[in-house]
Every structure is written in structure tokens, then in C-alpha cells.
Amino acid sequence: MSGIIHSKVLLMGFQSTIPLPQHFRELFGTAEEIGAKLDADHARISRAGITPVTFLLNPLEQEKGLKDMEVLLRNGNYDAIGIGAGVRLHPKYTALFETIVNMCKTVAPSVPLLFNDGPGGSAETSE
């Protein structure tokens, strides 16, 4: 935890319904369990006085997703950007993760990046 309170945080990750390797499902759960963890986490963030803005990318539609993400970054005036564990840890999407980080640092260079340890772990990174 950084000790800095953020008032508006962009939280990005993959849609919970995308195909994941079995070890990811063992770590993070079913699509429904992941969705419930994200909902609970975002409610905790809101109760802390932080506005969470969620962006769930479909990695099978990367071009559209990256364009939508760029619009959010340009228009959002965020205090922090959180990138979910699924985006970072899925070996098939390493290049996409790098593209996302580079876009964040290009479009919103002064906004800190936050990294959670999985679904349900974003509240701690946003505090």
C-alpha cells in the first residue's frame, strides 16, 4: 500500500468468461466466482471513497479493446490505473500486457500503475 488515497481509479482486466488455462481457474475460480470477487472488491473500493471505473478487455478482440482503452485513458482523469493479475500472468497475452503498460505510460504518463494479486485484490492496491 502506498498510503496515497486515490479518488478515481481505472481498473482493467480480462473479461471473466475468457478461456483460461486450468491452473488459472484453480487459482482464481470459475467465471462466476471471479465476477463475484470483482463485484465485492469494487464495492469495498467505493465504500473507501474511491470511484472505480472498470474496463474488461476481451483479448480475442484486442484491436477494439485497445482503442476503447485509449479513449478511457484520454478522457478519464484517473488518479491511478490498476492492471489485473489475469492480464499480467497469462503467458499467451504477454505482448498485450506490454502494449497496455506502454499505452498507459504514453497517454497518462503521470498516473501511477497498480497491480493486484488476483480477482478481489484491487482494494488493497487502490488505498
Side-chain angles (χ1 to χ4, degrees):
M1 286 191 234
S2 65
I4 299 171
I5 301 297
H6 306 288
S7 60
K8 186 176 177 187
V9 179
L10 175 62
L11 300 173
M12 64 177 62
F14 284 155
Q15 296 173 352
S16 61
T17 55
I18 68 159
L20 289 175
Q22 183 57 35
H23 69 279
F24 274 67
R25 289 291 177 206
E26 291 169 8
L27 281 173
F28 302 128
T30 65
E32 294 79 20
E33 291 168 332
I34 291 171
K37 289 175 185 177
L38 293 174
D39 290 345
D41 199 34
H42 295 178
R44 286 182 15 216
I45 292 168
S46 293
R47 284 192 304 272
I50 302 166
T51 302
V53 176
T54 303
F55 178 71
L56 298 177
L57 177 73
N58 180 344
L60 303 177
E61 298 176 357
Q62 291 181 28
E63 187 175 331
K64 178 190 179 318
L66 290 169
K67 285 179 184 177
D68 292 345
M69 189 183 89
E70 184 174 1
V71 169
L72 280 174
L73 288 170
R74 289 194 186 284
N75 299 321
N77 196 26
Y78 301 102
D79 298 296
I81 301 166
I83 301 175
V87 176
R88 296 187 324 277
L89 300 177
H90 198 305
K92 182 176 178 180
Y93 299 116
T94 299
L96 177 58
F97 168 61
E98 292 171 353
T99 299
I100 289 169
V101 169
N102 288 334
M103 182 183 292
C104 290
K105 295 319 293 174
T106 300
V107 176
S110 63
V111 179
L113 298 178
L114 309 173
F115 304 98
N116 68 15
D117 60 358
S122 293
E124 288 77 16
T125 63
S126 298
E127 295 176 342

